[in-house]
Amino acid sequence: MANKKSLDIDPKTLVINGSFQQILPGRIRTHSDSVELTKAWSVIIPARKSMVFITFLKNHTTTTGMDHLKKLRKSQTNKSQLQGLVAMADEVTKHQVFEMLCADDEVHQELEIHSMDDIVEVSVPKYPPVTQEEAKDNSKQYWPVIWKGDPNIQQLNQEVFDMLEISQNLRDIIEIAKIQKDNGELPIVTRLYDPENKQILATAHDERFKHILHHSVINCVGRVAANEVQRRGEEDDDEEANNDDVDDESSKKYLCVGYDVYTTHEPCSYCCMALVHSRIRRLFYLKPSPKTGAIAPDSAKGYCIHQSRQLNWAFHSFKWCDPELLQTVPVIDDNLFV
Amino acid sequence: MTNETLETHFKFMRMALDQAEAAHRAREVPVGCLFVYNNTEVVSTGSNLTNDTLSGIRHAELVGIDEILERFNLTSSENKYDAERQHKIYELFSKIDLYVTIEPCVMCGSALRQIGINRVFFGAANDRFGGNGSIFTINHDDLGIEHVSGNNSCFDKTYESYPDFGREEAIILLRKFYVGQNKKAPNPQTKEEDSRLLRFDQFPLMKYSKYITKKEFLKMYGESNVHRWIRSESGEDLTEAEGMFIENWIDPLMPLKKEVKLEMDEWQRKIQEGVINENRDHDRGNDVKRIKISGD
Ligand SMILES: [Zn+2]
Ligand SMILES: [Zn+2]
């Protein structure tokens, strides 16, 4: 059985059980120690009208990514004024904010919004603070933030990490990669695994010399889909019950929901997005791909496709840290899309 | 490719839209595409097959690429590096343009640069998964990849992606897909955003500068269309209604097919009568669940 004892998580580095590191944008400060900032729209309002503003915000779902920010702060210049946060600037324009505020006569009159000039751009921390000190620092330097404990750690503690299972899967794909290398093929190997039923669903290696786009991740996802098509075909042969409209029977597997992916090298943007489309649960990888990878913040353009808040699916990603095991992974050219 | 005209691009996009329509008839997400060699010869077509294959990654573009590789014998049964074949692939795709009804997603956008596509022309923006400007600019980003000599498997080529070719019709097809016969009574608490799904006569304004530069825009669409660029950039100067939507839903550049327009009128009538409501059965796992190109 899985060992469901509480995890050993380093809150600063996000290294779990001393073995693998969670890859989370905004959390791993590899480039510098500074906090990533983003732009937001704010308005200056009369201090006594704070309730009007809060009600306005409640009635208008403005933008996402604001949960960690306080909605009001004291004006830095005038004691009788407050500064209220309306929306994130990467999602709506200044003009849209203005329109939103003007849509309700009462709101824009009471808040004294007269022109576009009353909407002020501010820099705010893009991500929730990692520690309580950081929360204090951010509030002092940029914009007041809310500290509610670390939601990421709380979420990770819900996950089951069976160390034996994880390291066995990783060791398996390394062994296959070594054989690939000896065969003169690219030593990139991926495995799809069902952690609930402890079942290997597919293990595939890179086959781009057969077909230029057959990366190992794509091959794995394709094989699982093909197996499901076959399984349903056999099922349909058994029972001729035809029910076209209803397809949410629990017996039918949906894409790769609930499955874990193990792979030797950090996947490229093509493969990472394939994993988003397939709705996987977790990704474990061994070697980083600094030029072509699409997971780590310091890989390529820092896409972090697994945690983009604009895409419709997110999954956990973990990079193995134990140098002894990493040394055994065959090296590939940095210029290769994995 | 010097004597190409806007009309040729529209002609090819019309054929891509036909593919999307066929996908719709097959109860697939209606996205269609066309690969054109040297601006003249159609070398393959593709449409979304995610439902039929139970695979979330069988997108139109990948289906079309597979067809080209098969047709020109550019696959092998043996997983062995072949410099000549590799070279042929890049050579071929450097002369191939893609016409696709919806902006390529991040996955397809990346695959297209890995095979070295020449250019992409698309209809509507893909606000949920777009990889050519809407969410990521996978087609433009400089990754500093070196084409290592002696190992051409390290290949990378950025490409331009031109929006707004047959956009209205591409959006209509998607809306048709997500609005279906519903046995349940019309849901009275449809959110404002959802109700936009039911409208066939309103189209959000497209922000061209997310996808191309002004110079590229003028070169592609001509100086005579500069007002479209200005309008798209200066949403602030328009009235609220204008800022959100193009009022006139018949695009002067690429008008809707007559049958499509008639069909739209019919759908519009049915929706008003409450016969049709949004169909949520198809909501899962489909690309571009909701096209809501924000004025941004
Ligand atoms: Zn890949
Ligand atoms: Zn795609």
Side-chain angles (χ1 to χ4, degrees):
Chain A
M1 274 309 291
N3 38 340
K4 222 217 131 161
K5 61 174 188 248
S6 152
L7 294 173
D8 164 23
I9 307 168
D10 181 327
K12 273 275 180 201
T13 61
L14 295 180
V15 170
I16 300 166
N17 295 348
S19 305
F20 51 91
Q21 182 185 33
Q22 185 193 18
I23 308 294
L24 201 61
R27 290 299 298 264
I28 298 152
R29 310 263 153 80
T30 43
H31 286 307
S32 66
D33 279 319
S34 67
V35 170
E36 197 176 335
L37 298 175
T38 187
K39 302 272 184 236
W41 301 116
S42 71
V43 286
I44 308 288
I45 58 163
R48 66 208 143 73
K49 298 291 182 190
S50 61
M51 275 321 288
V52 177
F53 182 75
I54 294 296
T55 313
F56 163 79
L57 279 188
K58 263 192 196 139
N59 294 338
H60 294 77
T61 32
T62 47
T63 52
T64 53
M66 284 173 60
D67 290 351
H68 62 294
L69 301 168
K70 290 202 175 148
K71 299 303 172 293
L72 284 166
R73 76 167 176 191
K74 286 179 191 148
S75 163
Q76 281 146 327
T77 48
N78 188 332
K79 267 192 178 165
S80 65
Q81 290 183 328
L82 291 172
Q83 192 174 8
L85 200 65
V86 187
M88 303 305 266
D90 62 346
E91 290 191 24
V92 293
T93 62
K94 194 175 185 176
H95 180 71
Q96 285 170 325
V97 168
F98 183 64
E99 298 264 289
M100 218 154 41
L101 287 157
C102 290
D104 187 331
D105 276 345
E106 212 174 321
V107 169
H108 88 95
Q109 273 164 20
E110 297 220 26
L111 298 183
E112 298 175 13
I113 312 289
H114 306 299
S115 76
M116 294 265 288
D117 295 336
D118 293 325
I119 292 151
V120 188
E121 194 182 80
V122 284
S123 285
V124 298
K126 189 169 178 180
Y127 300 104
V130 177
T131 59
Q132 200 160 4
E133 304 97 80
E134 198 181 292
K136 266 190 200 156
D137 268 13
N138 282 351
S139 301
K140 219 188 270 170
Q141 278 194 52
Y142 310 109
W143 185 272
V145 296
I146 299 165
W147 173 250
K148 286 190 279 196
D150 188 335
N152 178 56
I153 304 272
Q154 288 158 15
Q155 212 189 343
L156 280 180
N157 274 312
Q158 306 282 308
E159 292 278 326
V160 176
F161 294 94
D162 184 331
M163 294 309 287
L164 265 173
E165 174 187 284
I166 294 168
S167 63
Q168 189 56 53
N169 276 318
L170 291 172
R171 273 166 221 282
D172 284 358
I173 58 173
I174 293 172
E175 282 318 305
I176 301 166
K178 285 181 187 162
I179 298 169
Q180 294 304 126
K181 193 174 177 94
D182 292 344
N183 286 344
E185 297 172 72
L186 288 172
I188 309 166
V189 180
T190 301
R191 168 173 287 176
L192 255 161
Y193 186 83
D194 177 357
E196 203 146 315
N197 299 305
K198 309 237 164 277
Q199 194 188 355
I200 298 167
L201 301 162
T203 310
H205 59 267
D206 187 287
E207 287 183 315
R208 75 184 69 193
F209 299 148
K210 282 184 179 174
H211 180 300
I212 186 169
L213 291 176
H214 285 186
H215 296 191
S216 64
V217 164
I218 302 291
N219 288 348
C220 243
V221 169
R223 208 165 296 168
V224 168
N227 288 346
E228 179 66 8
V229 168
Q230 194 187 3
R231 199 185 65 83
R232 286 196 198 178
E234 282 160 8
E235 223 173 53
D236 283 356
D237 288 345
D238 291 348
E239 33 169 316
E240 280 291 36
N242 237 338
N243 206 341
D244 257 355
D245 295 319
V246 192
D247 68 350
D248 53 355
E249 303 157 45
S250 54
S251 78
K252 286 188 178 170
K253 298 256 168 44
Y254 180 61
L255 301 176
C256 298
V257 170
Y259 299 161
D260 288 342
V261 172
Y262 292 90
T263 191
T264 50
H265 302 77
E266 180 187 356
C268 74
S269 45
Y270 163 53
C271 292
C272 288
M273 193 60 197
L275 295 178
V276 170
H277 286 314
S278 303
R279 318 272 171 107
I280 66 150
R281 180 171 156 201
R282 302 184 294 193
L283 168 71
F284 295 88
Y285 67 91
L286 288 151
K287 277 226 189 301
S289 309
K291 275 190 168 180
T292 61
I295 297 291
D298 53 351
S299 289
K301 288 281 163 186
Y303 294 128
C304 302
I305 286 175
H306 66 303
Q307 289 289 322
S308 163
R309 67 183 161 93
Q310 291 181 75
L311 299 172
N312 71 336
W313 186 259
F315 55 84
H316 289 297
S317 286
F318 307 95
K319 182 178 76 170
W320 197 257
C321 316
D322 166 24
E324 224 166 282
L325 191 62
L326 284 178
Q327 259 172 18
T328 63
V329 183
V331 175
I332 55 165
D333 194 315
D334 263 3
N335 294 291
L336 206 65
F337 281 97
V338 174
Chain B
M1 276 178 242
T2 43
N3 56 355
E4 66 175 31
T5 58
L6 268 181
E7 279 62 41
T8 30
H9 298 317
F10 293 138
K11 184 187 79 187
F12 288 130
M13 188 55 87
R14 161 69 46 225
M15 292 160 85
L17 283 162
D18 291 343
Q19 292 297 317
E21 244 184 296
H24 185 239
R25 281 193 296 273
R27 305 179 91 188
E28 292 282 355
V29 181
V31 179
C33 75
L34 194 76
F35 287 84
V36 178
Y37 180 79
N38 235 349
N39 212 19
T40 46
E41 191 197 338
V42 177
V43 280
S44 84
T45 58
S47 62
N48 200 306
L49 293 175
T50 48
N51 288 341
D52 183 49
T53 59
L54 302 180
S55 164
I57 64 173
R58 280 315 275 165
H59 286 187
E61 297 92 322
L62 300 186
V63 173
I65 291 170
D66 282 1
E67 196 184 310
I68 295 174
L69 294 173
E70 290 295 327
R71 190 172 154 186
F72 293 91
N73 256 321
L74 296 170
T75 59
S76 161
S77 56
E78 216 188 330
N79 193 26
K80 217 174 129 209
Y81 176 60
D82 178 341
E84 200 188 329
R85 187 175 65 233
Q86 206 82 11
H87 182 73
K88 270 190 197 161
I89 294 174
Y90 303 134
E91 186 75 10
L92 179 67
F93 279 98
S94 74
K95 295 196 181 70
I96 292 180
D97 290 329
L98 163 68
Y99 294 82
V100 58
T101 56
I102 303 293
E103 175 193 354
C105 74
V106 172
M107 172 182 74
C108 297
S110 178
L112 288 163
R113 84 183 263 170
Q114 294 184 35
I115 58 159
I117 196 87
N118 182 37
R119 296 177 300 183
V120 170
F121 298 86
F122 67 87
N126 184 339
D127 264 18
R128 316 204 99 223
F129 306 117
N132 282 182
S134 288
I135 295 180
F136 292 113
T137 45
I138 297 281
N139 57 322
H140 281 150
D141 293 339
D142 179 9
L143 301 178
I145 288 173
E146 293 151 45
H147 298 185
V148 183
S149 59
N151 184 357
N152 279 315
S153 58
C154 296
F155 180 84
D156 181 35
K157 180 188 158 296
T158 58
Y159 57 90
E160 294 306 332
S161 192
Y162 298 92
D164 203 5
F165 286 87
R167 185 164 64 106
E168 277 77 1
E169 217 163 308
I171 295 176
I172 285 170
L173 273 166
L174 280 165
R175 289 183 185 171
K176 259 167 73 173
F177 182 79
Y178 294 112
V179 176
Q181 306 286 344
N182 197 332
K183 284 146 238 148
K184 285 168 243 147
N187 186 355
Q189 43 188 351
T190 317
K191 277 186 286 169
E192 201 196 317
E193 187 183 50
D194 288 341
S195 67
R196 208 190 298 171
L197 269 176
L198 311 179
R199 297 298 300 258
F200 290 107
D201 56 350
Q202 289 186 336
F203 297 94
L205 203 64
M206 175 169 245
K207 180 116 178 165
Y208 294 116
S209 59
K210 274 173 131 176
Y211 312 97
I212 46 175
T213 63
K214 188 175 182 183
K215 209 171 142 195
E216 285 159 358
F217 177 91
L218 293 176
K219 200 171 161 216
M220 177 56 65
Y221 303 88
E223 292 281 348
S224 62
N225 276 307
V226 69
H227 64 281
R228 289 168 83 95
W229 175 276
I230 295 167
R231 200 184 161 92
S232 127
E233 280 304 291
S234 66
E236 294 181 8
D237 298 322
L238 305 174
T239 67
E240 185 188 6
E242 274 182 332
M244 295 292 284
F245 303 108
I246 294 171
E247 273 169 80
N248 186 355
W249 63 285
I250 298 180
D251 190 318
L253 275 182
M254 192 174 174
L256 295 178
K257 265 198 296 194
K258 229 183 237 146
E259 312 91 82
V260 174
K261 193 183 172 328
L262 286 173
E263 200 184 348
M264 283 314 108
D265 293 344
E266 175 70 9
W267 275 74
Q268 200 64 58
R269 191 182 59 75
K270 280 190 193 164
I271 287 161
Q272 270 154 19
E273 287 168 7
V275 184
I276 296 175
N277 196 17
E278 188 184 354
N279 183 358
R280 292 185 177 277
D281 290 351
H282 292 284
D283 239 19
R284 315 182 312 172
N286 294 319
D287 205 351
V288 198
K289 189 160 101 184
R290 178 179 298 141
I291 290 288
K292 53 143 192 135
I293 305 106
S294 59
D296 209 15

